[in-house]
Amino acid sequence: MKENKAIWAITRKDMKAVTSNIQVWLPMLVIPLILGVILPVAAVWGIRMFGLERAGNIGFLLQTLNDLPEGALRDRMTSLHTVDQKVIWFGANYLFASLFLLIPVMASSVIAANSFVGEKERKTMESLLYTPISTTSIFIGKLLSALIPSLLISFVTALLYGIFINLSAYPLFGELIFPTWNWVLLLLWVIPPLSLAIIFLNVFISAKVDTFQAAYQIGGAAVLPFLALITSQVTGVLILSPLVLLVLGAVLILLDIFLIRMSTHWSSREKLAGTHL
C-alpha cells in the first residue's frame, strides 16, 4: 500500500512539473493541434473548395488508390463516386493515421525526457533516490508520469480529429466517415505499447545525457521510422490496414516485454542517477 502511494505521489509530482515547464507543455499542445486538427481539416476544406484539379501533382496518390489490393479497402474506394471523396476518405482514415503516430512518439519523448533528465538537470534526482522509496517504485512512477499524459494527449487529439474531420467532410459524403476499424486498433492496440517503448528509449537516453535539450534532440530521432511509414502509405507500399496494425501492435508488445525485463538493470539507483553507464 505504501509503495502504491509512493508511485502515485511521484507520478503526480512529475505530471505537475510538466505543466510548469513551457519547454514541455508548449510542444505537446502545438504539435497535436497542427498534426491532428489543422493539417487534416485544411486538406479536406482545400479539396472541397477548390477540387483536386488545383491540388498540384497528385497523380502518384491516384495511382495508389487505383492499385489497392482486393479487399474491404478497395471495395470502399469503389463505392465512392468522385475522386474528391476517394482522396478525402483515404486520407482521413489511412494517410493521417500514420501521421497521427507522431503525436504519441513526440509527446512520450518530451515528457519522459523531462521526467528523468529533468530531475538530473534540476539536481533533484539524488535527493529522490535517497528517500526510502524503492527504486522500482520510483521507476514505475516516472514511467506512469510520462505514459498517462501521452495517452491522454493522443486520445483527446483523436477525439478532436474525429469531430473536425466529420464536420468538414459531412457535406461531401452525407455521412460520418470516422472512425474506421483501423483507427480503433491504432488507438487501443498500437499507441499504448508504442508510447511505452518510446518512454523506455528515453530512459536509456537519460542515462547517457545530462540536459533536457540533449535528451529531447536525441529522442527526436524516433520519428524517422514513422516518416518512412508516411511515405509508404502515400506510395501504397504499406497500407496501415487492420492486419498490419495487429502485427505492429503485437511486435510493440513483445518489445515492451523485453524492455520491461531489461528495466531491472536500467532502474538501478546508479542508472537513474546517471553516475555510471
Side-chain angles (χ1 to χ4, degrees):
M1 183 65 71
K2 287 184 178 180
E3 290 296 315
N4 289 339
K5 289 183 178 180
I7 289 171
W8 286 110
I10 293 170
T11 301
R12 287 193 298 269
K13 176 185 75 68
D14 281 12
M15 290 173 62
K16 186 177 180 180
V18 168
T19 60
S20 63
N21 189 337
I22 191 171
Q23 287 182 299
V24 179
W25 63 258
L26 187 59
M28 288 195 306
L29 291 181
V30 173
I31 293 172
L33 184 64
I34 293 174
L35 297 182
V37 178
I38 295 176
L39 283 180
V41 171
V44 173
W45 274 93
I47 294 173
R48 279 184 52 197
M49 294 181 67
F50 303 109
L52 287 172
E53 66 272 9
R54 298 187 184 182
N57 297 321
I58 61 165
F60 65 93
L61 181 55
L62 297 179
Q63 188 62 44
T64 297
L65 297 180
N66 291 330
D67 294 340
L68 289 173
E70 296 291 336
L73 177 55
R74 187 177 180 85
D75 293 341
R76 177 56 173 161
M77 288 291 101
T78 304
S79 70
L80 298 174
H81 302 294
T82 68
V83 173
D84 289 357
Q85 286 180 324
K86 292 179 180 181
V87 171
I88 288 176
W89 192 91
F90 184 74
N93 290 294
Y94 287 87
L95 290 184
F96 283 109
S98 56
L99 189 64
F100 188 87
L101 285 173
L102 294 176
I103 294 174
V105 169
M106 300 186 77
S108 298
S109 296
V110 173
I111 302 171
N114 180 71
S115 178
F116 290 92
V117 186
E119 292 275 9
K120 294 161 66 175
E121 203 170 31
R122 294 187 297 268
K123 311 297 183 184
T124 56
M125 179 63 86
E126 289 188 3
S127 60
L128 176 62
L129 295 175
Y130 282 129
T131 62
I133 304 172
S134 70
T135 308
T136 300
S137 295
I138 294 174
F139 189 73
I140 293 174
K142 289 195 165 293
L143 286 179
L144 290 175
S145 70
L147 182 62
I148 293 173
S150 174
L151 294 181
L152 184 62
I153 290 168
S154 299
F155 293 152
V156 170
T157 304
L159 177 63
L160 294 175
Y161 174 86
I163 291 172
F164 284 101
I165 281 292
N166 282 322
L167 287 175
S168 302
Y170 190 85
L172 187 63
F173 289 83
E175 62 178 348
L176 302 181
I177 65 171
F178 181 90
T180 53
W181 276 110
N182 64 311
W183 270 91
V184 174
L185 288 171
L186 184 80
L187 292 171
L188 301 182
W189 179 251
V190 174
I191 285 180
L194 171 63
S195 299
L196 188 57
I198 295 298
I199 292 168
F200 273 114
L201 172 64
N202 278 272
V203 173
F204 178 76
I205 293 172
S206 71
K208 303 284 186 179
V209 301
D210 296 315
T211 65
F212 169 79
Q213 285 294 345
Y216 181 43
Q217 290 171 2
I218 297 173
V223 306
L224 295 179
F226 298 95
L227 296 179
L229 184 60
I230 294 170
T231 303
S232 72
Q233 288 266 98
V234 174
T235 58
V237 174
L238 179 65
I239 303 297
L240 286 182
S241 64
L243 178 60
V244 171
L245 290 171
L246 282 171
V247 173
L248 178 60
V251 170
L252 287 169
I253 290 172
L254 291 175
L255 176 61
D256 286 338
I257 292 172
F258 170 75
L259 293 174
I260 288 170
R261 292 184 176 181
M262 289 291 293
S263 68
T264 57
H265 172 65
W266 290 353
S267 61
S268 67
R269 270 173 149 72
E270 293 82 3
K271 283 289 183 179
L272 289 179
T275 56
H276 72 273
L277 301 180

